[in-house]
DNA sequence: TCCGCTTTCTGCAACGATGTACTCAGACGA
DNA sequence: TCGTCTGAGTACATCGTTGCAGAAAGCGGA
């Protein structure tokens, strides 16, 4: 059996409650008593039982993170940073994969997963604002990445529109005139696809260029999605001199397919992505993309969530944080 | 406040313990009573408090996973699969990053992390068998990936030696005569680097070729490690016609650097990796590598660990599982 | 001297579940 | 008819903490 507070109390010759007081930094304890307790703890190698503490106090010092799939590089890198930042503040992160399915997102929002954690970092993909508001429960929650722009929720996000606009402007400045977009459909206006597409349209408009719906190709946001989307474009004989993949996976898949088909990147077609995952830097050619400020997203969202959990952040309305981006101009679209 | 078993008991007009009995599928309950309880549960929307259950029963239905860094694609993909498989058996996975530092591995092995979980999936990178045996505690533990070949531990691993041998043999069959190895040093004989290097040496020996230590370049197992290692090789004027990166990240980094320096892959230098991460398929050129059977690793290790936790697996000695691999011949080393 | 306040420490209940031991009918066999 | 056994359900203690209330001792002020 493990050492309990009772054993420590006996060894130190004090009451159980005094041990608890020492551990919780209660103010009025004589230094000598405190030392006795600390010595006993060290000698017995006592470690607090987190389950019992959690049951009694109602806090687990665990944060939940809901995302679609940990094997997506962007999410993996984000999760890694979130865990590191949380750990520095004494919290752990419990990850739940939703596979982008509504039922899973719902159960992560309500069920036992919620119970185990003090607060939630949520990347909704299928659930809308109303559904979330209705099922969210009472514990703190910070929305991530997706722009569910609703004053009821805390939100930490990247500048989707601005970044996409800047990246498109860069392509235009490089004399690309027919920029295909992969990963959205024409009518998208919300969510990451919609916002990034909006940035693209704004850049076109600013340059006085027409928007051509035939250059917008929907695709699953994965490498294979990017590959097949660009395949369709090529097969259809579309005329384009650049591809903007709405995330890096799409762009990398597209670039792969282009090269297989003998299209030179960037001479014939420039390629740009979004996210600046580590892989982008080492692709061949290296991928021009946008770094959405992942470190800052991780820090701000963890800080906000923990402040909510601990009652430090008291804003009534949802707090909205937008993080600065940086263009990463590389060989695929110089 | 959340609904408790007491509320359910009151609503159903039975004792608290009867509710518990229904939930735990106790045998002797009249169907009518059971139905009353189930109705009350449904009506009140009761959900068991996992923390309380865990305190009382000593089981949390959580498994720990210790790895160096979730942002490493191989680990991210593995973690994702492990979570999916565990979830199908009603378990969650709590991930801890060790950053490949000894202190972190130790604390994951002993500390509060261990307390929170019923069993551990452990990828040791710095700790040796003795240290692990000494600090392991009493809960079940399954070693992953690394070949700490010790009968005291359960282990699920890939065929490192065989796979590396087969891959090297493939390169030799393609008439590559000077195969550089990135990610190991000459004296390595254990761990992933050592085992894969052993496979390489065996393949050379089988082909009657000499082993040239100057072709073995140590490197951090990351993309940038692969890039700088191959940079060193080129700078030193070494003579080589193939690169075997001991994992895909190394190989992809190396391939990137080769192409930047104007070396044609595969015409001038063939490149091969190890792991078959998703990215390998979409690299340019696509990467020849070994698929180490990740799905099977995930299934077998979770099954073994849960069987230990639930007492189904009773082998006294450590159970050792070796999973089959498959070569993936692609464009970088046809 | 007595009161009230602060400092230091203690005991008990409680968090919400499960395990053990028990009660109480009713059935069954001798 | 009696004792025993089995089914069905209950009461209470328990897991290891923390919150709340209170007790004892010391101190200053009137």
């Amino acid at each position: 059996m493990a050492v309990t507070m009772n054993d420590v109390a006996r060894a130190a010759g004090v009451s159980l409650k005094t041990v608890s007081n020492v551990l919780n930094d209660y103010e009025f304890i004589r230094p000598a008593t405190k030392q006795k307790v600390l010595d006993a703890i060290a000698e017995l190698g006592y470690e607090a039982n987190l389950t019992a503490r959690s049951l009694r106090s109602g806090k687990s010092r665990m944060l939940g993170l809901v995302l679609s799939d940990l094997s997506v590089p962007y999410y993996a890198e984000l999760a890694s940073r979130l865990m590191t930042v949380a750990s520095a503040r004494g919290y752990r992160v419990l990850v739940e994969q939703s596979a982008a399915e509504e039922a899973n997102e719902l159960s992560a929002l309500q069920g036992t997963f919620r119970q185990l954690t003090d607060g939630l970092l949520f990347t909704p993909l299928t659930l809308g604002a109303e559904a979330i508001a209705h099922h969210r429960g009472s514990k703190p929650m910070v929305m991530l990445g997706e722009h569910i722009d609703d004053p009821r929720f805390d939100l930490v996000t990247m500048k989707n529109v601005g970044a996409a606009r800047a990246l498109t402007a860069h392509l235009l400045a490089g004399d690309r005139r027919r920029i295909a977009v992969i990963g959205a459909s024409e009518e998208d206006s919300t969510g990451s696809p919609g916002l990034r597409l909006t940035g693209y349209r704004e850049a076109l408009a600013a340059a006085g260029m027409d928007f051509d719906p035939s250059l917008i190709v929907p695709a699953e946001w994965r490498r294979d999605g990017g590959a097949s989307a660009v395949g369709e474009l090529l097969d259809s004989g579309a005329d384009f001199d650049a591809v903007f993949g709405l995330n890096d996976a799409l762009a990398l898949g597209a670039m792969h397919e282009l090269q297989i088909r003998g299209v030179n990147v960037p001479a014939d077609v420039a390629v740009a992505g979004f996210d600046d995952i580590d892989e982008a830097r080492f692709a061949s050619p290296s991928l021009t993309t946008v770094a959405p400020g992942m470190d800052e997203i991780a820090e701000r969202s963890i800080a906000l969530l923990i402040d909510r959990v601990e009652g430090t952040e008291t804003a009534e309305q949802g707090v909205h944080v937008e993080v600065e981006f940086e263009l990463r101009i590389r060989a695929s679209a110089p």
Side-chain angles (χ1 to χ4, degrees), chain A residues 210-265:
Chain A
D210 284 340
F211 172 79
D212 179 354
S214 73
L215 289 177
I216 313 302
V217 190
E220 294 283 320
W221 282 31
R222 295 189 312 255
R223 294 184 189 84
D224 54 355
S228 41
V230 105
E232 285 171 34
L233 270 180
L234 290 172
D235 291 343
S236 74
D239 169 31
F240 62 102
D241 54 12
V243 170
F244 176 14
L246 291 188
N247 76 358
D248 283 351
L250 284 165
L252 290 164
M255 193 157 79
H256 175 75
E257 185 71 16
L258 287 170
Q259 292 177 313
I260 284 200
R261 305 265 201 127
V263 178
N264 188 295
V265 178

Side-chain angles (χ1 to χ4, degrees), chain A residues 3-324:
Chain A
V3 182
T4 75
M5 258 174 58
N6 230 319
D7 303 326
V8 175
R10 210 180 347 262
V14 298
S15 80
L16 189 161
K17 186 66 232 249
T18 297
V19 179
S20 168
N21 284 337
V22 169
L23 288 172
N24 293 288
D25 282 321
Y26 178 64
E27 194 178 354
F28 301 116
I29 301 181
R30 241 179 308 173
T33 312
K34 184 166 182 172
Q35 196 53 53
K36 267 195 303 184
V37 171
L38 292 177
D39 289 349
I41 287 176
E43 189 187 347
L44 299 178
Y46 168 76
E47 257 184 347
N49 181 319
L50 297 189
T51 307
R53 176 175 287 174
S54 169
L55 172 61
R56 182 65 242 233
S57 70
K59 303 277 176 192
S60 62
R61 295 189 82 83
M62 288 219 298
L63 306 176
L65 170 62
V66 181
L67 40 74
S68 67
D69 187 337
L70 205 46
S71 68
V72 172
Y74 176 78
Y75 287 130
E77 293 182 16
L78 180 61
S80 170
R81 282 171 176 70
L82 288 170
M83 292 174 72
T84 304
V85 175
S87 163
R89 289 196 56 175
Y91 281 76
R92 271 182 237 279
V93 174
L94 183 62
V95 179
E96 177 93 347
Q97 303 189 105
S98 71
E101 284 184 20
E102 190 169 343
N104 296 335
E105 290 193 352
L106 257 177
S107 78
L109 203 53
Q110 316 181 270
T112 52
F113 180 73
R114 206 67 207 285
Q115 213 187 76
L116 289 169
T117 53
D118 294 342
L120 197 62
L121 294 166
F122 189 24
T123 312
L125 290 173
T126 68
L127 252 36
E130 284 317 313
I132 295 173
H134 187 252
H135 296 289
R136 61 165 298 181
S138 56
K139 288 186 182 171
M141 172 175 70
V142 171
M143 314 292 269
L144 273 190
E146 201 67 325
H147 205 315
I148 290 221
D149 195 352
D150 190 304
R152 285 172 291 184
F153 307 127
D154 289 336
L155 169 70
V156 176
T157 187
M158 57 187 80
K159 296 196 165 168
N160 281 293
V161 178
R165 187 173 47 219
L167 191 59
T168 309
H170 168 74
L171 292 172
L172 291 169
D175 251 8
R176 307 293 171 164
R177 287 289 164 265
R178 307 262 313 152
I179 306 170
V181 175
I182 291 183
S185 50
E186 193 192 340
E187 59 274 12
D188 280 337
S189 64
T190 60
S192 302
L195 294 167
R196 294 177 191 176
L197 186 61
T198 300
Y200 164 84
R201 300 176 83 142
E202 288 181 5
L204 287 190
M209 298 185 50
D210 284 340
F211 172 79
D212 179 354
S214 73
L215 289 177
I216 313 302
V217 190
E220 294 283 320
W221 282 31
R222 295 189 312 255
R223 294 184 189 84
D224 54 355
S228 41
V230 105
E232 285 171 34
L233 270 180
L234 290 172
D235 291 343
S236 74
D239 169 31
F240 62 102
D241 54 12
V243 170
F244 176 14
L246 291 188
N247 76 358
D248 283 351
L250 284 165
L252 290 164
M255 193 157 79
H256 175 75
E257 185 71 16
L258 287 170
Q259 292 177 313
I260 284 200
R261 305 265 201 127
V263 178
N264 188 295
V265 178
D268 303 333
V269 172
V271 176
F274 200 114
D275 282 348
D276 193 29
I277 59 179
D278 190 48
E279 181 183 345
R281 198 153 54 96
F282 291 96
S284 301
S286 58
L287 183 70
T288 290
T289 185
V290 185
M294 192 188 281
D295 282 324
E296 202 182 340
I297 289 177
E299 275 157 32
R300 299 292 295 271
S301 56
I302 290 284
L304 176 54
L305 184 57
I306 293 182
D307 287 348
R308 287 284 192 197
V309 166
E310 299 183 346
T312 318
E313 171 63 60
T314 54
E316 287 270 329
Q317 290 276 312
V319 173
H320 282 203
V321 176
E322 269 204 340
V323 150
E324 287 303 325

